[in-house]
Amino acid sequence: MSTPSHSASSAPHGHHHGHGNASLATLVIGAIGVVFGDIGTSPLYTLKEAFSGHYGLVADHDTVLGVLSLVFWALTMVVTVKYVTIIMRADNEGEGGIMALMALAQRSLAKGSRSAYLVGILGIFGASLFFGDGVITPAISVLSAVEGLEVVAPQMHSWIVPITLVVLVSLFATQRFGTAKVGKVFGPITVTWFLVLAVLGVINITHETEVLHAINPVWAVNFFLTHHWHGIFILGAVVLAVTGGEAIYTDMGHFGARPIRLAWYWFVLPALMLNYLGQGALILENPAAIKNPFYIGVPEWGRIPMIVLATAATVIASQAVITGGFSIARQAMQLGYIPRMHIKHTSHDTIGQIYIPGINWMMMIIVIGLVLAFRSSSALATAYGISVSATMLIDTLLLAIVARALWPKWRRWVLPLCALFLVADVAFVIANGAKILQGGWFPVVLGTILFTLLRTWRRGRELLTAEIRKDGIQLDTFLPGLMLAPPVRVPGTAVFLTAQTGMVPHALLHNLKHNKVLHERNVFLTVETLTVPYAPPAKKLKIESIGDDFYRVIVRYGFMETPDVPAALMRSCDKGGIYFDPMDTTYFASRESVVAIRRRGMPIWRDKLFAVMHRNAAPATGFFRIPGNRLVELGAQVEI
């Protein structure tokens, strides 16, 4: 019922919805609480993984400084320069993420061209991979926090997995209540977390100030010279420090670019680097600390409170991933990439606070499965990174297209940087590719499955629409013929939902055939989704009279909005349109039953997959919030 339409601003600086009146300080604290949760919990496991037996590194002076230098320059080049400084300029009316970048890149190419198609494939594959790594975040973060119990009491080892599962199940089970109440405490807790990271880092650095030299890139170069070509594989651990860079860009629509930049430059980045340097100083002082440098660097009296704070911080990081999953799922629904699902609004004030039960329980099952299968953060670290490094590579390619086409003033310096980013991204992909057999296969397989589902749904919808259109009747020729010998007119308004604006809706034909009546007023309604986050008020509603009390109505929404057709129609009288009495309006919709047959189009297995997805999709009427007691659904069988 929803047809994507193209409209978006090409300006590199967008408008930020819903936070214009909030003070900058409030937005900065809010951003710290939500946006940086993923990257902020990386110190729990990054250096621990780098010096694990998997990479065979010896914790000597040069190696420790080399790894710290790589972490510092990865954070600087990948997160600070690439994401926070450059890519956050590529926003779709204030909204970020790989879908926004894809839309901007496609706008610079000819519509329907092979290049635009390939960019679409790249964007959807990147989003699928991003989700594949996203489900690992709650598992690895909470596991690494709870593993602090081992440092305090080694006999607690067998309790780590059960406690982790209790925390995660509780987190997913409370999603239905919404994040508004919990969200108020997110900012202060995460601010406390970063302050504690910084303080611990400073305390440990004072024991071994030599680690401050790691900021010099010579140590990173020296690491590769010493370890030769296989030194590249350490990037498989270094990437753990930058996972969350893409999430910063994805979440920018919630707070705007400026608060996120201020929080990163002046608070989050310094706190992270101080902690990494502090862990490095601890390893130089006591090489045995590589077992768990984060918790061993905490004074004994503070370890239990630190475990509690770390668990709270990882729950917040997981919460950001889960709500991000809901947000991306709604965008994908609106843009026609996944079947419609039931969406529950958890706030009367904020439209962005939603809960999608199907996504929530699917993520919970995957996360619990990961914890039970891998059982430790070190084992999960082998699965982490491959998808996010591939997503970062795709972001660089899309950024180059956007900069070349839409940023004539900046492309002179952005394009050479893209070449540099590309080298780094390829190195990260190669390093993480070595972890495929140890567990890296999981996010790749999950991402590939999601990509197949997204493309199958999109292509299946196109084939279904083509079949309906092929057998359809043009409205302009049908109505004059109908009115030559009109059937009985009955009181009230009939609204016929149709995805094809110029065709006679199947529901109208079935109504005439079986009931042999015509309503007093008849409205042909199409819902369109624009490729901008929020539809401009002037474009939201279009009403056109086509004679004899027949009307054509188009309702438009942005991909961040949740459609509400009755509310949109009620507003039509404010615009001088027709008045819709809710108690006198009947909605008619046709619900197609898809039959897969062997012929051109998709392979038969994808046709069957689409048929299953279509059968289990929430009806368009529920998605558009049409009341069930005012609805008449009529079935039709379509072969694809």
Side-chain angles (χ1 to χ4, degrees), residues 140 149 169 351 415 575 636:
I140 192 171
L149 288 170
V169 170
I351 193 166
L415 290 177
K575 295 179 172 288

Side-chain angles (χ1 to χ4, degrees), residues 258-282:
R258 188 161 174 247
I260 290 173
R261 287 197 179 111
L262 288 172
W264 175 256
Y265 295 147
W266 303 107
F267 186 67
V268 177
L269 177 61
L272 286 175
M273 258 338 288
L274 284 170
N275 193 265
Y276 282 124
L277 291 169
Q279 288 186 47
L282 184 71

Side-chain angles (χ1 to χ4, degrees), residues 130-401:
F130 178 59
F131 188 84
D133 250 5
V135 292
I136 300 178
T137 297
I140 192 171
S141 300
V142 177
L143 257 176
S144 58
V146 178
E147 278 169 356
L149 288 170
E150 257 187 317
V151 177
V152 178
Q155 67 272 22
M156 293 286 287
H157 175 77
S158 58
W159 285 92
I160 288 170
V161 170
I163 291 170
T164 300
L165 291 176
V166 168
V167 171
L168 288 168
V169 170
S170 304
L171 176 65
F172 283 101
T174 53
Q175 291 302 308
R176 67 182 186 276
F177 301 116
T179 58
K181 291 171 187 168
V182 191
K184 288 175 184 172
V185 297
F186 277 11
I189 290 175
T190 316
V191 167
T192 306
W193 167 253
F194 283 115
L195 286 172
V196 171
L197 288 187
V199 169
L200 285 172
V202 170
I203 291 168
N204 287 314
I205 288 168
T206 56
H207 296 176
E208 203 64 62
T209 54
E210 175 68 15
V211 290
L212 294 172
H213 292 128
I215 292 169
N216 188 337
V218 168
W219 287 105
V221 175
N222 183 58
F223 179 88
F224 288 120
L225 292 175
T226 306
H227 293 85
H228 308 298
W229 63 270
H230 54 266
I232 195 174
F233 294 117
I234 194 60
L235 293 178
V238 172
V239 78
L240 300 176
V242 297
T243 54
E246 160 73 19
I248 293 169
Y249 176 46
T250 303
D251 288 336
M252 71 181 274
H254 296 292
F255 301 97
R258 188 161 174 247
I260 290 173
R261 287 197 179 111
L262 288 172
W264 175 256
Y265 295 147
W266 303 107
F267 186 67
V268 177
L269 177 61
L272 286 175
M273 258 338 288
L274 284 170
N275 193 265
Y276 282 124
L277 291 169
Q279 288 186 47
L282 184 71
I283 294 168
L284 284 181
E285 189 182 27
N286 173 22
I290 58 172
K291 185 183 174 190
N292 197 327
F294 181 84
Y295 279 113
I296 292 173
V298 179
E300 276 189 45
W301 59 264
R303 282 176 186 167
I304 295 290
M306 193 66 200
I307 291 167
V308 174
L309 179 61
T311 304
T314 55
V315 164
I316 290 168
S318 305
Q319 177 68 60
V321 168
I322 296 164
T323 50
F326 296 157
S327 182
I328 289 170
R330 179 172 63 177
Q331 288 183 36
M333 266 181 243
Q334 290 284 65
L335 293 170
Y337 281 104
I338 61 171
R340 296 182 189 95
M341 297 180 185
H342 173 62
I343 295 178
K344 181 184 171 188
H345 288 261
T346 57
S347 168
H348 294 293
D349 311 312
T350 312
I351 193 166
Q353 288 183 9
I354 56 171
Y355 166 63
I356 305 177
I359 298 292
N360 187 60
W361 301 124
M362 181 185 77
M363 286 180 79
M364 188 185 85
I365 290 164
I366 295 171
V367 169
I368 288 171
L370 281 168
V371 172
L372 290 173
F374 289 90
R375 306 191 76 79
S376 77
S377 61
S378 292
L380 263 172
T382 60
Y384 210 22
I386 177 78
S387 293
V388 88
S389 51
T391 306
M392 293 192 300
L393 174 63
I394 292 169
D395 281 339
T396 300
L397 295 171
L398 295 177
L399 173 65
I401 295 169

Side-chain angles (χ1 to χ4, degrees), residues 21 23 43 106 158 200 273 310 431 504 552 570 634:
N21 299 325
S23 74
Q106 283 184 316
S158 58
L200 285 172
M273 258 338 288
V504 180
R552 186 181 284 132
M570 286 294 287
L634 300 156

